[in-house]
Amino acid sequence: VIVGGSASFVGAPCFAAESAAEVLALAGEAAMRSGAGTTVLALPDILLPALYPHLRYSAAFALPSSGGNIVFDEAAAKKLFRGATSVAMGMGMADGDAYSYARLLLDETDATLVLDADGLKCARKIGDFGGRAVLTPHIGEAARLTGLTTEEISARPAEICRDTARELSAVVILKGHESYISDGEWVY
């Protein structure tokens, strides 16, 4: 399952819908080609018309939206996550409710969660991922996640990556020209 998109992803709603749809469609196609099996793209209901021309290998799932952002709907979330083994969330979500979807996923399923981009905004609120998440911040997102400056992170990226992974009980991939991956114990 890939959850993302919003009307305000890059500006004007019409252009945003086209851009978000193409990115999400490409993500779905990549998942299918990599052997992920059935891939479901979950996005705000207002983006579905823009997505359909780009949809090749995935199913689409409309999530309720308000003001162009995904809003939480427990029944929709349970239906979406039923049978899911992994969920990538956050790409283009803007101010969508990643927290409530992630919390339900972690509390009521065994699926693994990958948080990227706007989805990372909820990571600090979740706190402990119980070893079931992969967080993928670039240095700016890592600064928001840790409360450190980008300069502090740049000075000690491996240590910050490891400490953040340990603190949140998640795998952290600190992306950059040199990327670091840590499970809280080891850094690669």
Side-chain angles (χ1 to χ4, degrees):
V1 176
I2 300 170
V3 180
S6 70
S8 62
F9 182 56
V10 292
C14 184
F15 181 67
E18 284 295 319
S19 297
E22 287 182 29
V23 168
L24 290 169
L26 286 171
E29 184 174 342
M32 289 296 290
R33 288 182 180 212
S34 70
T38 302
T39 304
V40 177
L41 302 179
L43 64 159
D45 47 16
I46 62 166
L47 292 183
L48 278 178
L51 174 69
Y52 285 129
H54 304 284
L55 195 61
R56 289 171 249 181
Y57 299 102
S58 304
F61 189 96
L63 290 172
S65 65
S66 177
N69 293 308
I70 293 171
V71 295
F72 184 67
D73 180 287
E74 184 174 356
K78 287 181 177 183
K79 182 176 180 182
L80 173 64
F81 296 148
R82 186 177 313 126
T85 56
S86 61
V87 174
M89 185 181 311
M91 299 68 66
M93 277 186 82
D95 293 322
D97 190 358
Y99 172 78
S100 296
Y101 283 94
R103 185 76 270 161
L104 183 134
L105 180 83
L106 292 168
D107 290 346
E108 298 192 20
T109 77
D110 293 326
T112 300
L113 174 63
V114 178
L115 282 181
D116 187 41
D118 294 320
L120 290 165
K121 295 175 186 175
C122 74
R124 187 57 59 194
K125 187 174 179 182
I126 291 173
D128 184 345
F129 287 90
R132 293 187 33 227
V134 177
L135 311 180
T136 63
H138 56 61
I139 195 163
E141 293 164 334
R144 287 188 294 279
L145 182 62
T146 63
L148 300 171
T149 66
T150 56
E151 291 79 15
E152 290 171 308
I153 295 169
S154 293
R156 305 180 345 248
E159 179 184 344
I160 300 301
C161 183
R162 184 193 65 235
D163 292 349
T164 304
R166 183 181 302 133
E167 181 181 339
L168 297 175
S169 188
V171 170
V172 174
I173 303 171
L174 180 57
K175 302 179 292 191
H177 68 279
E178 288 184 356
S179 295
Y180 297 86
I181 303 170
S182 181
D183 59 1
E185 184 175 343
W186 298 96
V187 179
Y188 305 93

